[in-house]
Amino acid sequence: MIYADNAATTKMSGAAMNAMLNCMEETWGNPSSLYGLGQRAKEALEDARERIAACIGASPKEITFTSGGSEADNQAICSAAALGARNRKRHIISTTFEHHAVLHTLKKLEGEGFEVELLPVGELGTVTARQVAEAVREDTALVTIMYANNEIGSILPIAEIGAVCRKQGVPFHTDAVQAAGHLPIDVKAQNIDLLSLSAHKFHGPKGIGVLCARQGIPLSSLIEGGAQERGKRAGTENVPAIVGMAAALEEACARLEENTAKVSALRDRLIAGLSQIPHAALNGDPVNRLPGNVNFCFEGIEGESLLLLLDDQGICASSGSACTSGSLDPSHVLLSIGRPHEVAHGSLRLSLCEENTEVEVDTILKAVPEIVGYLRNMSPLWKDKVSGKKKFIL
Ligand SMILES: Cc1ncc(COP(=O)(O)O)c(C=O)c1O
């Protein structure tokens, strides 16, 4: 099998698994219990908090554990909105191509009287700090803009956007789910007030994440109950997953440069090869993109069929995001960068990690053109294009 869907999820690392196993055997108590076993679990929890904070330039007090990226996004946005509402600020700035964890939370807030302004992301899938500066108003409660896009991999100028927000006194949240462990993060240097990350995107376990909130930004709780996480997130902490996440993030950060060099070379080989396919186009920024992200549109095919045929050859890939696959709507991300519906339906995302090899890339490079050719030959629409009855788009 060739796994090329690391933006959907990653395989857990040995370090993360060992840390979790060790925790389940040795420190499996409830961190709130007063006896030794509980206190050892508490120590493991706090040790993980410190190590995670160190990886992103935060203080341990700023780290709240959540069930993953979606919960962290929800809590960050709802907290900033509640804070804004207390000061009569009800304007929120974001972008058209955020993850649904952000967009759907914003939709909910719109229903509660907030005004949401989604900045256009242009052909390359980015926004500038200037666009943000021009959009900020007296009543802006929050700017929430992702660090890197999960579908097309474009990397946004987060530090510059953060600087604009800091200057204007507006809280800035970034969904760094696709960036953590793959791009450098320093919440202080990048002027980030609220940051979400999720362990399963950097070889950690699923169902665990972090909301990092700068001291002074009050969090509202989404889950009421016990006083865990300083009263900001009730529920017994998932200590094994938290410990696994710390091990995975530390490893990813320690190997960031080495992994980036290796993975981006594989990505560039894949992009160069797929670019040879006629009537195909790379989606996203060719230069400023996540090391492992490759995303193409192939005119005249359905992405779903391409995925099924790749699966037959043991290649795991994705069309649109994992969350939207299964729905027939074209990806909102591809529409937001200006791809027409017809072309957006023919998309393929391959997302690599440091465990992929050149041989795997070459296998993909053999499989994709063959399958695209096969699907096009079966398509009446394609025949119309070839005969000149209909125009090519790409
Ligand atoms: C950019 C982005 N934000 C949020 C999420 C949601 O994270 P989780 O699966 O941990 O809830 C994802 C997952 O695909 C993502 O890619």
Side-chain angles (χ1 to χ4, degrees), residues 7 68-70 73 99 101 146 148 150 175 177-178 198 200-201 323:
S70 301
D73 283 345
H99 190 270
M146 68 200 324
N150 45 305
D175 173 340
V177 169
Q178 293 290 336
S198 176
H200 75 108
K201 308 290 186 179
C323 325

Side-chain angles (χ1 to χ4, degrees), residues 4-197:
D5 202 14
N6 287 278
T9 197
T10 55
K11 185 181 170 200
M12 265 181 64
S13 69
M17 282 194 229
N18 285 339
M20 289 183 78
L21 269 178
N22 185 50
C23 177
M24 287 187 272
E25 275 166 8
E26 307 289 340
T27 50
W28 49 267
N30 186 326
S32 300
S33 302
L34 291 180
Y35 41 76
L37 180 66
Q39 288 311 295
R40 284 199 297 283
K42 172 105 184 137
E43 278 163 26
L45 177 68
E46 295 313 323
D47 174 63
R49 196 187 305 278
E50 277 172 30
R51 288 158 53 208
I52 289 169
C55 288
I56 59 171
S59 131
K61 282 195 211 110
E62 297 173 317
I63 304 292
T64 300
F65 294 116
T66 66
S67 65
S70 301
E71 185 186 329
D73 283 345
N74 274 256
Q75 189 170 9
I77 294 168
C78 292
S79 299
L83 177 66
R86 289 201 285 278
N87 298 311
R88 295 177 200 278
K89 296 183 176 189
R90 293 185 160 265
H91 174 240
I92 300 178
I93 299 168
S94 188
T95 76
T96 49
F97 79 159
E98 299 293 314
H99 190 270
H100 284 139
V102 168
L103 289 178
H104 291 177
T105 307
L106 294 177
K107 197 92 226 132
K108 189 186 82 172
L109 289 171
E110 256 179 353
E112 294 170 12
F114 285 85
E115 184 191 338
V116 175
E117 183 173 348
L118 300 180
L119 302 177
V121 296
E123 254 175 61
L124 296 181
T126 193
V127 292
T128 60
R130 192 180 172 156
Q131 270 175 284
V132 176
E134 284 169 2
V136 168
R137 306 191 319 211
E138 292 258 297
D139 63 339
T140 304
L142 170 70
V143 171
T144 171
I145 293 180
M146 68 200 324
Y147 193 156
N149 184 271
N150 45 305
E151 289 187 41
I152 58 172
S154 47
I155 301 171
L156 285 84
I158 288 312
E160 288 88 333
I161 294 171
V164 165
C165 295
R166 189 61 56 85
K167 198 167 153 214
Q168 306 282 340
V170 178
F172 172 49
H173 166 246
T174 189
D175 173 340
V177 169
Q178 293 290 336
H182 306 285
L183 299 174
I185 297 182
D186 183 329
V187 288
K188 286 201 180 66
Q190 293 170 306
N191 301 301
I192 297 166
D193 295 312
L194 294 150
L195 174 138
S196 315
L197 61 80

Side-chain angles (χ1 to χ4, degrees), residues 207-335:
I208 193 75
V210 163
L211 170 55
C212 176
R214 185 167 64 81
Q215 283 176 56
I217 304 271
L219 291 185
S220 332
S221 192
L222 296 181
I223 301 174
E224 301 303 333
Q228 291 91 351
E229 298 298 278
R230 303 171 312 286
K232 301 304 177 201
R233 208 281 183 175
T236 303
E237 303 87 342
N238 187 349
V239 187
I242 290 168
V243 164
M245 169 163 63
L249 188 60
E250 265 184 345
E251 187 173 48
C253 291
R255 297 193 179 159
L256 196 78
E257 271 183 38
E258 182 193 333
N259 287 345
T260 302
K262 181 178 176 199
V263 181
S264 47
L266 293 174
R267 172 200 65 192
D268 293 345
R269 187 181 181 93
L270 197 46
I271 291 178
L274 293 177
S275 302
Q276 303 300 312
I277 299 177
H279 306 288
L282 178 70
N283 293 312
D285 193 322
V287 182
N288 204 15
R289 69 191 297 136
L290 283 169
N293 179 283
V294 176
N295 191 317
F296 271 83
C297 280
F298 302 110
E299 188 166 355
I301 64 148
E302 286 294 327
E304 312 292 313
S305 320
L306 175 57
L307 288 192
L308 293 176
L309 293 171
L310 282 171
D311 185 32
D312 281 348
Q313 300 195 25
I315 299 169
C316 308
S318 151
S319 175
S321 68
C323 325
T324 48
S325 60
S327 102
L328 287 175
D329 294 335
S331 139
H332 71 286
V333 174
L334 296 179
L335 297 182

